[in-house]
Amino acid sequence: MKMKAVRKVKPAFGAELCEIDIPKIPDDWVLVKVKATSICGTDVHIYKWDEWSQKRIGEKRLPQTLGHEVAGEVVEVGKNVKRIKVGDYVSAETHIYDPKDLTSLLGIFHVGENMKILGVDCDGAFAEYFAIPEIVCWKNDKEIPPEFATVQEPLGNATYAVLGEDGDVCGKTMLITGDGPISLFAIGVAKVAGVAKIIHFGKYDFNMEIGKKMGADFQVWTNKTTREERIRIVKELTDGNGVDIALEMTGSEDSILDCFQLVRRGGRVTAFGIASVSPLPFGFDYNNGIVFKGCQIHGINGRKIFDTWYRVRNLLSSKKLDISPVITHLFSLEEFEKGFNAMLERPRKSAKVVLFPDKEELKKAKERLKL
């Protein structure tokens, strides 16, 4: 049987809608019919076929189906599958861990030497069906609509970034840089987690307005201020101390320097953004920025499996966290080019873009979100 899939066919800008075979699953995998799938910044890198994509994937692995954020219904299970059943409504933890890695043996499943990523190291979910190992399937609450269930993966990044390892955020001050979807999700998570003062740095008016809706208490436009001005503003908002927690979410030089400058002594910097060049080419005061400040640094690469997923599902199903302002565009799978164009447009006029293989699912989502 055949299915439609958005594939990276050539080592060049763009992708193509192809007709390919529905995947055949190994004994410990499941086959999922896609209800919704959303575009991530990683997908944009692959779509553009930038330097990272060329090195990470490479021409020899093409063609390959894009996409890793997804929600759908299980339609087939391998003979060794025990936990997941046909009919289950699932999403995919996209970090496919190797049980033999030391990190897996230590219970740190989301990072590992032999970890694979859905849609990067194997065929992804921009299709009518996709295949995934049972070990990284997450059962969704059926009350969570597909347009929300599909973004639990990036929402999980935001949740892990906000909470850190200890979840000690209630009553604290927090700086969140960037106005992409994960930064915007982080604002919402910080709000419901009891962060007392959320300071948001960004530059695009459309997305900054979403940040305000998500719960930012104070906003600063980085393209309209100098670092000195930003330091003064944040110090005034924090009694001269700096923030308890700074979430670096963009990887840009300004954002990295801002976070280490503005976190208080003994505070935490969460490092999520990917720098375009690494090692960092710009000057950084390692001694005063980290050592003498007693700064904690928390690197984020994915989500805690499955602790973060559990929290995200509960936040969404309880309706305590409303992420609807971040879902700005809905398209059919065939309209994927419109979705990528919306993501690439500058100045930004989009946040999260969701694709639907089934046009009836698309219609229902548009009615729910009034888009």
Side-chain angles (χ1 to χ4, degrees), residues 38-108:
S38 39
I39 302 176
C40 171
T42 300
D43 301 315
V44 175
H45 284 295
I46 299 170
Y47 190 80
K48 293 193 296 185
W49 200 242
D50 60 13
E51 184 179 351
W52 176 86
S53 301
Q54 294 168 35
K55 291 179 179 178
R56 185 68 167 79
I57 299 174
E59 182 177 354
K60 290 182 180 179
R61 291 244 305 277
L62 302 182
Q64 182 170 290
T65 304
L66 281 74
H68 55 268
E69 300 176 7
V70 66
E73 181 180 341
V74 175
V75 294
E76 183 183 346
V77 300
K79 66 179 183 181
N80 293 336
V81 170
K82 305 297 183 187
R83 182 174 58 90
I84 302 297
K85 297 179 175 57
V86 170
D88 282 347
Y89 176 39
V90 301
S91 285
E93 165 51 61
T94 57
H95 286 195
I96 305 171
Y97 61 89
D98 186 333
K100 298 186 295 297
D101 278 342
L102 173 63
T103 47
S104 297
L105 296 173
L106 296 175
I108 311 168

Side-chain angles (χ1 to χ4, degrees), residues 7 12 15 19 23 58 69 71-72 77 80 92 94 108 115 134 152 155 182 225 269 274 282 358 361:
R7 308 263 282 173
E19 189 173 83
E69 300 176 7
V77 300
N80 293 336
T94 57
I108 311 168
M115 181 190 75
E134 179 193 24
Q152 287 176 104
L155 178 56
I182 298 180
T225 55
V269 172
I274 305 298
F282 50 87
D358 186 328
E361 289 282 2

Side-chain angles (χ1 to χ4, degrees), residues 7-308:
R7 308 263 282 173
K8 190 73 182 181
V9 176
K10 297 176 289 189
F13 184 92
E16 295 181 20
L17 185 69
C18 304
E19 189 173 83
I20 62 172
D21 291 334
I22 293 176
K24 302 209 180 299
I25 56 170
D27 292 343
D28 54 352
W29 286 46
V30 304
L31 182 67
V32 181
K33 183 177 182 180
V34 176
K35 287 180 173 288
T37 182
S38 39
I39 302 176
C40 171
T42 300
D43 301 315
V44 175
H45 284 295
I46 299 170
Y47 190 80
K48 293 193 296 185
W49 200 242
D50 60 13
E51 184 179 351
W52 176 86
S53 301
Q54 294 168 35
K55 291 179 179 178
R56 185 68 167 79
I57 299 174
E59 182 177 354
K60 290 182 180 179
R61 291 244 305 277
L62 302 182
Q64 182 170 290
T65 304
L66 281 74
H68 55 268
E69 300 176 7
V70 66
E73 181 180 341
V74 175
V75 294
E76 183 183 346
V77 300
K79 66 179 183 181
N80 293 336
V81 170
K82 305 297 183 187
R83 182 174 58 90
I84 302 297
K85 297 179 175 57
V86 170
D88 282 347
Y89 176 39
V90 301
S91 285
E93 165 51 61
T94 57
H95 286 195
I96 305 171
Y97 61 89
D98 186 333
K100 298 186 295 297
D101 278 342
L102 173 63
T103 47
S104 297
L105 296 173
L106 296 175
I108 311 168
F109 297 103
H110 62 288
V111 291
E113 288 294 326
N114 299 300
M115 181 190 75
K116 306 295 183 185
I117 298 179
L118 181 69
V120 175
D121 299 305
C122 58
D123 280 335
F126 285 180
E128 292 180 282
Y129 297 87
F130 79 102
I132 194 77
E134 179 193 24
I135 58 171
V136 287
C137 278
W138 177 251
K139 290 185 185 180
N140 295 318
D141 186 319
K142 292 189 176 181
E143 295 301 311
I144 301 174
E147 62 273 18
F148 287 2
T150 184
V151 301
Q152 287 176 104
E153 195 256 21
L155 178 56
N157 285 332
T159 301
Y160 192 17
V162 169
L163 297 180
E165 292 294 342
D166 57 12
D168 182 16
V169 299
C170 184
K172 292 191 172 181
T173 58
M174 182 177 289
L175 168 65
I176 300 174
T177 67
D179 49 29
I182 298 180
S183 296
L184 301 174
F185 284 145
I187 294 170
V189 173
K191 195 73 174 179
V192 299
V195 174
K197 191 173 291 184
I198 303 168
I199 304 167
H200 179 209
F201 283 9
K203 63 181 180 179
Y204 295 113
D205 291 347
F206 181 88
N207 288 41
M208 292 294 277
E209 182 59 30
I210 297 173
K212 186 177 178 181
K213 291 177 182 177
M214 292 302 292
D217 297 301
F218 302 93
Q219 292 185 301
V220 178
W221 274 252
T222 54
N223 55 332
K224 299 175 184 178
T225 55
T226 64
R227 176 161 299 109
E228 290 70 25
E229 289 171 328
R230 294 193 291 275
I231 290 171
R232 176 182 55 78
I233 291 167
V234 172
K235 288 295 182 75
E236 287 177 355
L237 291 169
T238 58
D239 296 324
N241 296 309
V243 293
D244 299 304
I245 303 165
L247 271 54
E248 198 299 296
M249 307 295 277
T250 76
S252 73
E253 176 180 342
D254 279 345
S255 177
I256 293 169
L257 292 175
D258 280 348
C259 284
F260 281 101
Q261 181 80 49
L262 292 170
V263 70
R264 66 161 170 81
R265 288 179 176 272
R268 183 215 333 156
V269 172
T270 288
F272 174 78
I274 305 298
S276 58
V277 179
S278 183
L280 300 174
F282 50 87
F284 176 70
D285 191 343
Y286 175 84
N287 291 340
N288 293 310
I290 300 176
V291 179
F292 298 141
K293 193 176 251 188
C295 180
Q296 305 169 47
I297 303 174
H298 182 205
I300 295 288
N301 181 24
R303 298 136 301 280
K304 295 177 78 171
I305 301 174
F306 279 102
D307 178 272
T308 306

